[in-house]
Amino acid sequence: MSELDLVIRNGTVIDGSGEPPRQADVAIRDGVIVEVGDVPGTGREEIDARGQLVTPGFVDVHTHYDGQATWENRLVPSTNHGVTTVVMGNCGVGFAPCKPEDRDLLIRLMEGVEDIPNVVLKEGVDWQWTSYPEFLDFLGSREFDADICSYVPHAALRTYVMGERAYSREPATSDEIRQMGEILEESVRAGAFGFGTSQTMFHRSSDGQLTPTLAATEEEYAGLAAALDRAGAGLIQFVIEYNDDWEQVLDMGLRRAKESNRPFSMALVQSHGNPRIWRTILDKFDAFNASGGTGTLQILPRPLGVLLGLELTLSPFYSTPTYLTMADLPLADRVRELRRPEVKERILGETNDPDPDMAMGMRVRDFDQLFEMGEDFDYEPAKESSIGAQARRMGVSPESVVYDRLLERDGRNILYLAFSNFADFSLEPCREMLLNEHVVPGLGDGGAHLGVICDGSIYTHLLTHWGRDRHQGERLPLPYLIHLMTRRSAEMVGLHDRGLVAPGHRADLNVIDLDHLGLDLPHVVRDLPAGGRRLMQDARGYTATVVGGTVVTRDGQPTGALPGRLVRGPQPALTSAPA
């Protein structure tokens, strides 16, 4: 055997297939795994993985790096957590195709839907494209610490064809549907993985306008699905709202996917307002797949965590009159004011007046679902540990308790609001979802919700909580969890060249010290264009992450290597390793 680039020795290989672990070396040459077993000789670089797991790199199927990937090379927070491939363009929002006169419309939509500040996007996105293929060409010229795949965002496509009429939520004409289909087909042939869309009123631009895709008719979706059929590739990615029409909307999406012979994927959560619908949706997907369709549900394996704090977008007092007068003060000055007893008394006596169109803002005083985050925070917190339960034990108002908690750590304390998946103060619904054969983990929203959510860490959480630490119910086997994050997620998107530790597969790998694997607390960093703020969460226990045979992190620290590239369209399985 000729010289090897990298050998990972003595590790416990969990290969992504779901099969039991085994002791083996992993040899890599030219970015591909060439041998798994007892590897003779030496590599130019070697990693001793004795006592540690060796897994495929994780595939993050639901991100929003559409802006970040144009100005930054590291796809954090996802790549802090063993992710080696990300998929963006979800939920119908993004920046291509785009005419120059529509740029502000797309920025306002991304700002509102995904909580990315306008000033960050205006300074960061430099618009070296108009068409979607040009956007892919721009991404193809860049280097990253993970591979990137991208859907065509339906809102951008609709705006490109319809202009302001898209934002007036007018139905597309037959000619406009034809144009959208032609552009989508061209984009898929250029390397897009399908299209992402949204059918939820929660998705609004920063000026309150509903997402343009909400007005799309079944005829429009039929035209887009037919375009994927003509291209012979591409997935339909959906987000729906659990309102009175949810079943009609979902049935329409499944119908269009099946008639065009295209795979369909949708987000699934346990809504606290409709806490039993998720079971019906699972049943629908089981029936859809049994009838010959290809449908996958993306689930968050913990509560959707809305983070509240004085440095963040939301807190239980963010829209009270007195707080609004000091909201723009530097944090230290704001904390000084908030510590004055008369200011506390005044704020506690005021009514919060959140924007009724902002669902997360409406829930900031759901004190029984609000929890303190401490070291090694349990993302399945005990009901009696909530702010509401604490206040009842203390005989004081929950507003008073949360006010004091927010001032801890010099005003940098962060509280955790379990927004979904936790209606009964248990993650048993998530466990049942995870066990379904048509489910993959997702919805971490890496690159988005920068001041509200930091769920890009779900891949580390799957291993620690579900594979090692859970005490409120049964855990799940590590080989199954690894399978969900790797091979099953990769195959959902159409990536058959990764997700397995096997000869002939792409050398995207993690070396994990499971005994010491853990999550650090989320914290605020200001490293975006224009000094923009975002939440970040780091992990402990990743000895190495390898992308295409190159080590991109060691002991959680970036090496500076950027082997990640744009991936253009589905990738077939490699049948054999290079000799």
Side-chain angles (χ1 to χ4, degrees):
M1 178 180 289
S2 58
E3 187 177 19
L4 299 167
D5 297 327
L6 174 64
V7 180
I8 301 173
R9 294 207 181 271
N10 307 312
T12 300
V13 174
I14 302 182
D15 67 9
S17 68
E19 293 297 313
R22 61 188 174 115
Q23 297 298 121
D25 304 332
V26 180
I28 297 162
R29 188 190 309 111
D30 297 329
V32 175
I33 297 168
V34 294
E35 188 171 355
V36 180
D38 186 7
V39 175
T42 59
R44 284 197 292 268
E45 182 177 3
E46 299 213 355
I47 296 173
D48 184 1
R50 190 180 306 274
Q52 302 184 62
L53 304 182
V54 179
T55 77
F58 308 146
V59 179
D60 190 340
V61 301
H62 194 111
T63 78
H64 294 279
Y65 290 112
D66 309 68
Q68 186 174 325
T70 70
W71 68 69
E72 188 172 340
N73 301 106
R74 296 192 61 229
L75 302 174
V76 291
S78 294
T79 55
N80 289 342
H81 301 279
V83 169
T84 55
T85 303
V86 304
V87 184
M88 65 187 195
N90 288 278
C91 303
V93 291
F95 300 112
C98 183
K99 298 172 182 175
E101 61 267 29
D102 295 328
R103 290 171 181 172
D104 283 346
L105 289 175
L106 296 190
I107 283 177
R108 289 201 302 272
L109 184 63
M110 183 68 83
E111 179 185 25
V113 172
E114 304 299 344
D115 188 36
I116 305 174
N118 189 290
V119 65
V120 169
L121 295 173
K122 280 193 171 179
E123 181 168 313
V125 181
D126 62 4
W127 302 103
Q128 295 185 32
W129 60 86
T130 300
S131 71
Y132 194 85
E134 289 170 345
F135 177 64
L136 292 184
D137 288 344
F138 174 77
L139 291 176
S141 70
R142 293 181 52 74
E143 301 176 337
F144 306 99
D145 62 348
D147 278 356
I148 287 184
C149 311
S150 183
Y151 299 128
V152 177
H154 187 191
L157 176 61
R158 205 168 198 267
T159 303
Y160 187 84
V161 171
M162 298 177 64
E164 287 281 357
R165 290 182 57 249
Y167 280 78
S168 301
R169 296 184 304 287
E170 296 183 27
T173 65
S174 58
D175 185 59
E176 288 167 337
I177 292 172
R178 178 189 58 78
Q179 290 180 58
M180 281 188 260
E182 290 174 353
I183 294 169
L184 178 59
E185 181 180 356
E186 175 192 35
S187 300
V188 171
R189 293 186 186 281
F193 277 74
F195 73 93
T197 189
S198 170
Q199 282 289 307
T200 170
M201 294 180 68
F202 290 141
H203 285 169
R204 297 171 181 260
S205 64
S206 56
D207 57 5
Q209 294 295 310
L210 293 166
T211 181
T213 60
L214 199 62
T217 61
E218 181 161 358
E219 289 73 22
E220 184 172 332
Y221 282 114
L224 296 176
L228 299 185
D229 192 18
R230 292 194 302 272
L235 176 146
I236 302 169
Q237 184 270 326
F238 246 67
V239 178
I240 69 169
E241 183 175 343
Y242 299 161
N243 57 14
D244 293 342
D245 299 327
W246 74 267
E247 195 161 11
Q248 292 173 293
V249 173
L250 174 55
D251 287 347
M252 179 273 292
L254 292 173
R255 185 164 56 248
R256 298 315 342 156
K258 191 169 184 181
E259 290 186 4
S260 60
N261 196 34
R262 299 316 311 153
F264 183 90
S265 183
M266 191 187 81
L268 176 65
V269 298
Q270 183 199 38
S271 165
H272 288 190
N274 295 285
R276 303 293 175 258
I277 285 178
W278 65 271
R279 291 183 182 276
T280 305
I281 294 175
L282 275 184
D283 291 342
K284 278 185 174 290
F285 271 72
D286 287 342
F288 177 72
N289 283 284
S291 69
T294 303
T296 309
L297 288 160
Q298 302 174 29
I299 72 152
L300 195 73
R302 67 190 194 197
L304 193 162
V306 175
L307 303 187
L308 309 182
L310 299 180
E311 285 189 291
L312 306 180
T313 302
L314 298 174
S315 83
F317 312 107
Y318 82 104
S319 61
T320 58
T322 298
Y323 186 81
L324 287 172
T325 65
M326 62 184 75
D328 294 330
L329 291 175
L331 179 63
D333 295 340
R334 210 173 339 135
V335 168
R336 190 179 306 113
E337 285 296 305
L338 291 168
R339 282 180 172 154
R340 293 168 54 196
E342 64 272 22
V343 172
K344 176 180 179 180
E345 182 179 4
R346 189 159 64 245
I347 289 178
L348 293 186
E350 294 173 345
T351 302
N352 214 37
D353 188 24
D355 182 346
D357 293 330
M358 188 175 185
M360 293 178 182
M362 296 294 290
R363 293 270 304 276
V364 293
R365 294 198 179 191
D366 188 356
F367 296 115
D368 285 338
Q369 291 280 5
L370 187 61
F371 302 89
E372 295 183 66
M373 297 193 81
E375 295 297 326
D376 297 316
F377 176 65
D378 186 347
Y379 283 86
E380 191 173 12
K383 180 178 180 180
E384 59 272 16
S385 69
S386 73
I387 294 292
Q390 289 183 44
R392 286 189 288 274
R393 288 195 298 270
M394 297 166 63
V396 298
S397 73
E399 288 84 356
S400 179
V401 174
V402 78
Y403 191 101
D404 293 340
R405 297 293 186 269
L406 289 173
L407 290 172
E408 293 175 0
R409 299 178 59 234
D410 294 323
R412 290 183 169 83
N413 213 21
I414 293 177
L415 304 178
Y416 184 89
L417 175 64
F419 191 79
S420 65
N421 287 352
F422 209 54
D424 301 316
F425 299 94
S426 167
L427 289 182
E428 279 304 303
C430 285
R431 183 175 178 275
E432 188 170 333
M433 292 181 210
L434 284 168
L435 287 170
N436 185 280
E437 63 181 318
H438 309 302
V439 158
V440 298
L443 309 185
D445 276 350
H449 301 297
L450 305 183
V452 181
I453 294 171
C454 195
D455 282 338
S457 60
I458 58 171
Y459 299 93
T460 302
H461 174 260
L462 274 162
L463 297 177
T464 55
H465 182 81
W466 288 104
R468 189 189 67 192
D469 298 337
R470 189 174 189 235
H471 58 269
Q472 287 201 41
E474 292 184 42
R475 300 169 189 165
L476 294 171
L478 280 173
Y480 180 71
L481 293 171
I482 297 294
H483 170 68
L484 293 181
M485 294 188 279
T486 57
R487 187 179 189 182
R488 189 184 291 183
S489 292
E491 290 183 341
M492 182 205 99
V493 185
L495 297 172
H496 301 282
D497 64 339
R498 64 198 70 197
L500 280 177
V501 183
H505 283 73
R506 181 173 164 82
D508 294 347
L509 299 160
N510 283 309
V511 180
I512 303 170
D513 183 352
L514 183 64
D515 290 342
H516 296 97
L517 189 67
L519 287 169
D520 293 341
L521 284 175
H523 60 282
V524 171
V525 296
R526 297 186 180 274
D527 61 352
L528 293 175
R533 167 209 63 185
R534 62 174 162 176
L535 282 157
M536 190 64 62
Q537 189 168 24
D538 300 323
R540 310 177 300 277
Y542 287 97
T543 299
T545 296
V546 179
V547 173
T550 299
V551 179
V552 295
T553 67
R554 284 193 185 90
D555 297 322
Q557 298 302 309
T559 63
L562 299 170
R565 297 292 186 271
L566 172 73
V567 182
R568 290 184 185 263
Q571 302 293 300
L574 298 172
T575 56
S576 62

